[in-house]
Amino acid sequence: MGENRPDVLQGTLDLMVLKTLETMGPMHGYGIARRIEQVSGNALSLNQGTIYPALLRLQQRGWIAGKWGTSETGRRAKFYSLSRIGRKQIEEETGNWERVAATMARFLAPSN
Amino acid sequence: MDRIRILLSRCAALFRRQELDADLDEELRAHIDLAVAENLMRGMTRQDAQTAALRNFGGVTQISERYRVERGLPFLETLAQDIRYGLRQLRKSPGFTLTAVITLALGIGANTAIFTLVHAVLERSLPVADPSRLYRVGDGNTCCYWGGFESDNGDFDLFPYDLFLHLKQSSPEFEQLAAMQAGGSSFSVRSGSSPAKALRSEYVSGNYFSALGVNAYAGRPLVDSDDKPGAAPVLVLSYQAWQSDFAGDPAIVGSTVYVQTHPFTVAGIAPPGFFGDRVIDRPPDVWVPLANEPTIEGAGTSLEPQGEEDTAWLYLLGRVHPQTNIAALQTRLSATLRQWMATSPSFVAHGGAAMIPKQHVVLSPGGGGIQRLQQRTGRGLRMLMLLSSVVLLIACANIANLLLARGTARRAELAVRMALGAPRARLIRQILTQSVLLSLIGGAAGLAVAYGLSHMILALAFPEARNMPIQASPSLPVLGFAFLVSLLTGVIFGAAPAWLSSQAKPAEALRGANRSTGDRSSLPQRALVVLQVSLSVVLLAGAFLMARSLANLEHQNFGIATANRYVLEFDPLGAGYTVARLPGLYRQIQDRLSTLPAVSNVSLARYTPLGGNNWASCVIQQGHPAAGPNDKCYSTWDRVSLRFLDSIGVPIVRGRNFSAQDTQGSTPVVLVNQSFARYFFPNQDPIGKHFGIESPKNSGSFEIAGVFADFKMTDPRGEAFPLFLRPLSQQYLGYTDPEAVSSEESSMFVGSIIIQFTRTQQDAEAMVRRTLAEIDPNLTVFHFVSYDSQIALNFNQDRLIARLTSLFGVLALILASVGVYGVMSYFVARRKGDIGIRMALGAKRSSVVAMVLRRALGQILLGLALGVPIALFVGHLMASLLYGVTRYDPFALLGATLVLGVCAAVAGFIPARRAASIDPMQALRTE
């Protein structure tokens, strides 16, 4: 089920969030942002705040759900977890992404 | 699928904005706190930890904004914001808002009311099945009993009964051709033991309801077998009459009621909303088959031809088969008419045969019914439509001016807001929202005005109306149109200048904000003021013309005295009186009523002057032959008691009045008016001369005993018509023709009593009704009014139009004055700095006033100059409605120009004085 993504960057951030939640389980916004920073090896200089509109989009589509809880430092924070359809979506998105990457690779390969 | 879910989530978020905002706030703060905690753990100072956390986050405000935009429906939210802001702005300047709303309400309301009524009266369709197939045979206004040819051009639209039957038989193109009484009657109807009521009635053919395609609500409609001689008498009751006069009792169907003392069975009740075959202020309450007309009318029957006379008294309306060729049908019907006339003695005699080839009928669309009311009021209504459109135009010009002034005043504000980063589109949208809000509020107020005005107009136009089938509720399309116009005005004159000024660079706009002396932007405003003034001249001139015309009509000398006199209409025939019993009744009435306090004269008459009805006959002077079809031999005549002329204050100018010596046995005498004498006996002394009516055989019937002064009998606008009076005490017995005999008999029945008091009597009506009831409780009183009211009834339409045009004139005056005042105020406000400088440099106050006034007067004079030719043109259009006033009446024009000029000058003078009282120091300081 393909979907028009107006902003590729938006789409990739959404997928990163989903993967993070799949790997790490329920996390709060700050935690997700730090994890993405770590995984990308600080190659992407993204403002941490941009995660929140992404989280909103994912919530609106029903792929993640948010719940208030307490953080490890005792601070009240909102935790997000994958929903069932969110998990299925990851497979879809990952497949799409790999196809796009493969096509791009063919284009960018030196022509013989 | 996802899209729907997203949309739903966005909608839901609209309602929980505050809660969600708090949540986001908390979540973001949590993020920052956690980041600070981690930084602290890494060993940063509190200060550095804070700064680093915020820097890594990005802009909190920007993120929050982006978040909110994605969360809700930004378009709706900003719209709601704009609406709230707009309302606040409107509340903050109550003067502007109130003026604008009232202006819009008056303009939209007046227009909607008039257009609704025009539509309801002129375009009303009969509530029947498939009105497009209904056609009327005839298109004119001829009414109500006629003998012979009907119009100079040969148009024939009123039919005798036998001609109707002939046309019905010979026209297979008509599915059904029905006949209906052209006038209407008032009958005294009694049911059970309750007192008799006066009900409106109409004689119709048996196929009337099937031609219209109308079924009964209860019982059955009339059918052809009801309309045969000897059929059981039945009638159909209207739904409204059933509810209001018979208490909606279902048992009435099948029961017996007494119409003019004759028993009838109620066959059925017409459906609610059905009002007959025409729009009229008093639609029929009962429909009676034509076959019963001889029973009820007795001697005065018009159904069968009597001797040479064949009375035309029916309109014809029928339903044609689909796809009938109307033009061909019309030609064929005209030919049939001519063939029939050639065999009819009343049309062939006395040279009438020569007129026959010209005779024809016109088939007119019948979906709207008989168009009598529409033809009579159409002109006036259309003129009112024109005038109300002008009022709307002036109102829109006012609104435009108000908005322009406001827009220019806010130019500086707009520039500042744009400099602070507001997007131009958003600013313009805000202004647009404000204009739309204003239009909506004005439109709602206009709706209220329209509703009230419609009802008021109907009540004024048809004060005697009972169950009139016109809805006064404003029609939606018209309201929508007027509302659209005002909306457009608001949008164009509100948003356009805003868009223009937003194009300028903010810095430049601010720089020149309060110091410019140029007035490029005020050109549209000045043009609007000129437009308003010129249109107002037109309306005021029209108002003056109509008011003068009405005054002429109402205060003319009718030739009769009306002070302290009352008129009562009643129907002895309907109460069961025969000719033989009449003298006794009349004597009783006169004796008993004369004993009432302060009564000085009691007279009886068949018709009263200006009572709306009359009877005309062809006068044949002694020894002369019968009149040909082209001879104008008609005179109206009336049957009156002895002191009739005294009771209306008319003097005898020659010969004598009626006296007690004029009895049944003595010479039949008549009194004639001066017009009669001049027309029939020019340059002779009419006293002692003889004439007759009906036929040359009787041309010596009546002897002229006296001549009385002219007065207006039927037409309040025209010249006095020949009139002769016959006394109640003398029934002419010399006729042999049965129709003439029965006509003479029916003339013995009077319809009115005129009672003259010596002073104003409070409860005159109650006393008189009681006395009559004591004489005979079956005598139904149809009508009791003062004579002045009766005369005033003749001018209902004129009074209505005069009042409305005056109302429009006043509205225009107010609107134009407000317009001038507004523009001048604004001008003074803008030039405050300029004026301050002038006065500081030594200009006198009077010269400042003069400067402002000169400007105002310039616009006013230009407006007046443009308005006068338009007013002349409109006067030309109104010519047919005027009485005693020329269409280019100089007084009306002069009056209008003067009044408007003075009001507008005063309106401009007030701000001028305000300019003169500006303190130069203050003016220069407020920049």
Side-chain angles (χ1 to χ4, degrees):
Chain A
M1 189 176 78
E3 202 191 306
N4 269 348
R5 293 193 190 281
D7 182 14
V8 171
L9 209 54
Q10 244 186 19
T12 56
L13 185 55
D14 291 359
L15 187 52
M16 283 189 227
V17 170
L18 287 177
K19 275 308 267 191
T20 308
L21 286 179
E22 190 193 31
T23 318
M24 305 291 296
M27 289 183 93
H28 51 58
Y30 177 66
I32 301 174
R34 286 296 286 134
R35 168 91 183 149
I36 290 178
E37 274 181 2
Q38 287 165 3
V39 167
S40 65
N42 293 321
L44 293 173
S45 58
L46 226 52
N47 284 332
Q48 285 177 351
T50 57
I51 201 131
Y52 286 98
L55 286 171
L56 175 66
R57 277 196 301 276
L58 294 170
Q59 277 182 95
Q60 284 178 339
R61 285 170 175 74
W63 295 342
I64 62 176
K67 208 161 78 142
W68 283 96
T70 324
S71 74
E72 51 277 2
T73 60
R75 181 85 174 67
R76 187 160 174 266
K78 199 165 185 193
F79 287 79
Y80 295 91
S81 54
L82 269 184
S83 70
R84 193 175 48 82
I85 41 176
R87 265 180 224 286
K88 287 218 293 235
Q89 192 63 16
I90 293 177
E91 289 176 37
E92 280 281 335
E93 296 302 306
T94 317
N96 279 340
W97 185 246
E98 283 167 354
R99 270 194 295 280
V100 167
T103 316
M104 281 308 294
R106 275 205 294 280
F107 265 100
L108 296 172
S111 41
N112 288 328
Chain B
M1 255 313 289
D2 268 359
R3 270 202 236 276
I4 298 180
R5 195 178 305 179
I6 296 173
L7 189 60
L8 282 176
S9 141
R10 287 198 180 209
C11 286
L14 276 182
F15 296 102
R16 301 168 51 212
R17 265 214 327 276
Q18 270 179 322
E19 182 193 333
L20 292 175
D21 277 344
D23 268 3
L24 176 67
D25 198 44
E26 170 121 28
E27 195 175 352
L28 295 185
R29 254 187 296 129
H31 182 115
I32 303 291
D33 286 348
L34 288 169
V36 166
E38 183 170 334
N39 286 343
L40 283 176
M41 237 172 30
R42 290 222 212 98
M44 294 195 204
T45 61
R46 177 139 281 259
Q47 190 74 338
D48 288 341
Q50 200 90 344
T51 327
L54 283 172
R55 192 179 51 236
N56 283 335
F57 187 87
V60 175
T61 334
Q62 276 93 310
I63 291 292
S64 301
E65 265 311 303
R66 268 182 60 189
Y67 191 92
R68 281 201 205 92
V69 165
E70 291 225 31
R71 183 185 68 196
L73 290 167
F75 179 70
L76 275 187
E77 286 171 5
T78 48
L79 186 64
Q81 220 176 13
D82 286 345
I83 291 178
R84 274 201 301 273
Y85 175 67
L87 283 174
R88 241 191 351 258
Q89 287 291 91
L90 290 179
R91 250 206 310 273
K92 275 209 297 214
S93 41
F96 164 80
T97 314
L98 212 60
T99 315
V101 167
I102 292 180
T103 306
L104 271 178
L106 291 176
I108 296 180
N111 228 346
T112 309
I114 300 284
F115 273 68
T116 305
L117 282 180
V118 166
H119 179 81
V121 170
L122 296 183
E123 324 265 324
R124 185 87 159 92
S125 203
L126 292 184
V128 299
D130 200 1
S132 63
R133 280 200 289 139
L134 287 176
Y135 278 89
R136 178 179 164 208
V137 182
D139 62 345
N141 243 339
T142 320
C143 195
C144 304
Y145 296 92
W146 214 266
F149 299 103
E150 287 165 13
S151 71
D152 290 333
N153 68 348
D155 201 348
F156 206 80
D157 55 337
L158 190 67
F159 294 84
Y161 184 61
D162 50 351
L163 176 54
F164 155 64
L165 289 176
H166 181 72
L167 285 174
K168 189 162 92 134
Q169 267 172 347
S170 56
S171 307
E173 295 94 331
F174 277 106
E175 240 173 55
Q176 292 282 9
L177 182 64
M180 56 220 71
Q181 183 180 3
S185 313
S186 267
F187 287 154
S188 138
V189 177
R190 185 168 60 79
S191 158
S193 55
S194 22
K197 305 190 198 353
L199 294 185
R200 296 295 299 172
S201 70
E202 188 179 6
Y203 291 110
V204 298
S205 57
N207 59 352
Y208 178 76
F209 289 99
S210 65
L212 290 176
V214 173
N215 279 323
Y217 171 80
R220 64 170 182 85
L222 297 179
V223 292
D224 279 325
S225 56
D226 295 321
D227 199 18
K228 299 265 185 293
V234 293
L235 56 79
V236 166
L237 195 59
S238 82
Y239 186 85
Q240 291 85 318
W242 178 50
Q243 292 292 324
S244 57
D245 292 299
F246 297 95
D249 180 12
I252 194 127
V253 179
S255 72
T256 308
V257 297
Y258 293 87
V259 178
Q260 308 277 83
T261 72
H262 302 284
F264 276 76
T265 311
V266 177
I269 297 171
F274 179 70
F275 52 88
D277 48 74
R278 69 197 80 173
V279 174
I280 197 174
D281 58 343
R282 293 162 77 201
D285 300 308
V286 296
W287 287 277
V288 178
L290 286 170
N292 299 115
E293 193 258 7
T295 319
I296 297 180
E297 302 294 331
T301 177
S302 316
L303 204 62
E304 301 296 333
Q306 315 228 334
E308 256 191 31
E309 272 298 313
D310 199 1
T311 314
W313 62 296
L314 298 168
Y315 286 148
L316 304 188
L317 187 67
R319 182 178 289 276
V320 299
H321 286 291
Q323 272 114 39
T324 309
N325 184 338
I326 297 300
L329 177 58
Q330 181 173 303
T331 318
R332 216 178 56 62
L333 285 173
S334 302
T336 313
L337 172 73
R338 288 191 288 270
Q339 281 162 7
W340 182 87
M341 280 181 169
T343 65
S344 162
S346 57
F347 288 100
V348 171
H350 313 302
M355 304 266 293
I356 292 183
K358 251 201 313 186
Q359 304 302 309
H360 61 276
V361 294
V362 176
L363 275 182
S364 55
I370 310 285
Q371 298 281 299
R372 281 196 73 205
L373 183 79
Q374 289 85 339
Q375 279 167 349
R376 276 200 346 251
T377 59
R379 198 144 239 272
L381 281 175
R382 289 206 182 86
M383 198 208 64
L384 283 176
M385 259 169 63
L386 179 68
L387 292 182
S388 67
S389 307
V390 173
V391 172
L392 183 62
L393 218 63
I394 299 181
C396 286
N398 237 355
I399 298 287
N401 247 341
L402 282 171
L403 286 173
L404 276 176
R406 199 170 152 85
T408 328
R410 297 176 62 188
R411 208 191 296 160
E413 179 203 326
L414 268 185
V416 169
R417 291 169 80 188
M418 271 176 53
L420 284 177
R424 185 183 308 145
R426 181 78 202 278
L427 283 178
I428 296 187
R429 216 174 70 192
Q430 269 186 342
I431 297 177
L432 220 63
T433 318
Q434 246 185 65
S435 306
V436 170
L437 267 179
L438 204 55
S439 303
L440 280 173
I441 300 175
L447 187 60
V449 169
Y451 195 74
L453 199 59
S454 307
H455 281 273
M456 186 193 88
I457 294 177
L458 270 186
L460 284 177
F462 306 108
E464 305 259 294
R466 199 179 103 100
N467 300 326
M468 188 168 191
I470 291 187
Q471 257 64 307
S473 322
S475 78
L476 245 30
V478 173
L479 188 65
F481 171 75
F483 179 66
L484 194 68
V485 169
S486 71
L487 191 69
L488 276 175
T489 314
V491 165
I492 294 173
F493 290 99
W499 185 81
L500 278 174
S501 47
S502 70
Q503 299 290 51
K505 295 208 180 53
E508 299 208 357
L510 279 171
R511 196 180 306 139
N514 289 329
R515 295 172 196 269
S516 77
T517 56
D519 275 315
R520 305 169 339 268
S521 66
S522 76
L523 181 60
Q525 282 178 296
R526 284 184 285 160
L528 284 171
V529 167
V530 169
L531 176 71
Q532 277 183 304
V533 170
S534 59
L535 289 177
S536 302
V537 168
V538 174
L539 284 180
L540 272 177
F544 276 118
L545 281 177
M546 292 308 301
R548 275 195 66 194
S549 178
L550 180 70
N552 286 341
L553 268 177
E554 287 186 321
H555 297 120
Q556 66 180 295
N557 183 13
F558 300 103
I560 56 178
T562 58
N564 288 330
R565 287 161 168 88
Y566 293 88
V567 180
L568 180 158
E569 275 179 30
F570 72 127
D571 186 10
L573 182 64
Y577 281 82
T578 56
V579 179
R581 290 176 56 202
L582 286 178
L585 173 67
Y586 295 158
R587 204 169 26 244
Q588 259 197 308
I589 292 178
Q590 288 183 289
D591 290 342
R592 294 289 297 275
L593 285 176
S594 303
T595 61
L596 289 178
V599 170
S600 60
N601 193 338
V602 179
S603 295
L604 302 164
R606 186 158 168 77
Y607 306 107
T608 50
L610 296 174
N613 206 354
N614 77 319
W615 188 267
S617 292
C618 183
V619 166
I620 308 172
Q621 293 161 48
Q622 185 166 36
H624 287 216
N630 275 333
D631 295 338
K632 303 252 183 288
C633 60
Y634 277 89
S635 166
T636 50
W637 63 278
D638 201 1
R639 179 78 77 173
V640 300
S641 60
L642 293 185
R643 292 177 57 210
F644 172 72
L645 286 176
D646 292 335
S647 72
I648 52 172
V650 172
I652 295 277
V653 296
R654 230 184 126 55
R656 67 170 180 87
N657 202 342
F658 290 134
S659 71
Q661 269 80 45
D662 299 314
T663 59
Q664 186 61 44
S666 57
T667 319
V669 292
V670 295
L671 301 176
V672 303
N673 68 352
Q674 291 167 307
S675 294
F676 186 102
R678 264 198 303 271
Y679 188 77
F680 291 103
F681 299 95
N683 303 320
Q684 304 164 51
D685 182 10
I687 308 293
K689 298 277 193 301
H690 293 85
F691 70 90
I693 57 176
E694 307 295 348
S695 77
K697 215 164 8 118
N698 305 109
S699 67
S701 328
F702 311 127
E703 180 177 310
I704 300 178
V707 180
F708 56 90
D710 277 339
F711 60 84
K712 302 208 174 173
M713 181 70 184
T714 15
D715 183 6
R717 300 169 103 101
E719 293 300 312
F721 200 70
L723 167 69
F724 66 91
L725 300 176
R726 298 183 54 198
L728 275 172
S729 47
Q730 297 185 324
Q731 181 180 357
Y732 185 72
L733 299 169
Y735 293 123
T736 50
D737 194 29
E739 197 273 341
V741 170
S742 64
S743 180
E744 175 73 7
E745 261 193 27
S746 62
S747 78
M748 299 305 296
F749 289 86
V750 298
S752 312
I753 307 175
I754 301 176
I755 308 165
Q756 183 185 358
F757 289 85
T758 52
R759 56 179 163 80
T760 353
Q761 188 63 22
Q762 295 301 70
D763 50 349
E765 178 167 358
M767 281 195 311
V768 170
R769 278 186 188 262
R770 210 174 351 157
T771 314
L772 275 184
E774 283 166 19
I775 297 177
D776 185 345
N778 282 328
L779 282 174
T780 334
V781 174
F782 289 110
H783 216 72
F784 184 96
V785 287
S786 72
Y787 215 112
D788 288 319
S789 307
Q790 169 161 297
I791 295 186
L793 275 177
N794 284 292
F795 307 121
N796 276 342
Q797 204 199 338
D798 305 276
R799 202 175 313 119
L800 175 71
I801 294 182
R803 283 199 188 149
L804 282 178
T805 48
S806 303
L807 178 68
F808 291 153
V810 168
L811 277 181
L813 186 64
I814 296 176
L815 288 175
S817 304
V818 166
V820 170
Y821 172 78
V823 166
M824 283 298 113
S825 288
Y826 168 66
F827 170 72
V828 164
R830 282 205 68 212
R831 301 278 291 268
K832 213 160 42 159
D834 176 34
I835 294 174
I837 293 177
R838 281 175 204 257
M839 288 190 13
L841 286 177
K844 289 206 293 290
R845 285 186 195 276
S846 54
S847 75
V848 170
V849 172
M851 173 188 85
V852 177
L853 216 48
R854 215 187 2 249
R855 207 190 157 75
L857 282 178
Q859 296 166 22
I860 296 172
L861 284 175
L862 185 59
L864 291 177
L866 285 177
V868 166
I870 307 178
L872 285 174
F873 174 67
V874 171
H876 178 78
L877 291 177
M878 282 166 96
S880 64
L881 297 166
L882 298 176
Y883 180 80
V885 180
T886 61
R887 70 189 75 177
Y888 302 127
D889 184 53
F891 291 112
L893 274 174
L894 201 64
T897 344
L898 262 174
V899 170
L900 188 58
V902 165
C903 283
V906 167
F909 181 70
I910 300 175
R913 270 201 53 205
R914 213 175 331 126
S917 58
I918 288 178
D919 176 16
M921 286 317 297
Q922 242 202 357
L924 289 169
R925 211 175 293 143
T926 55
E927 284 292 307

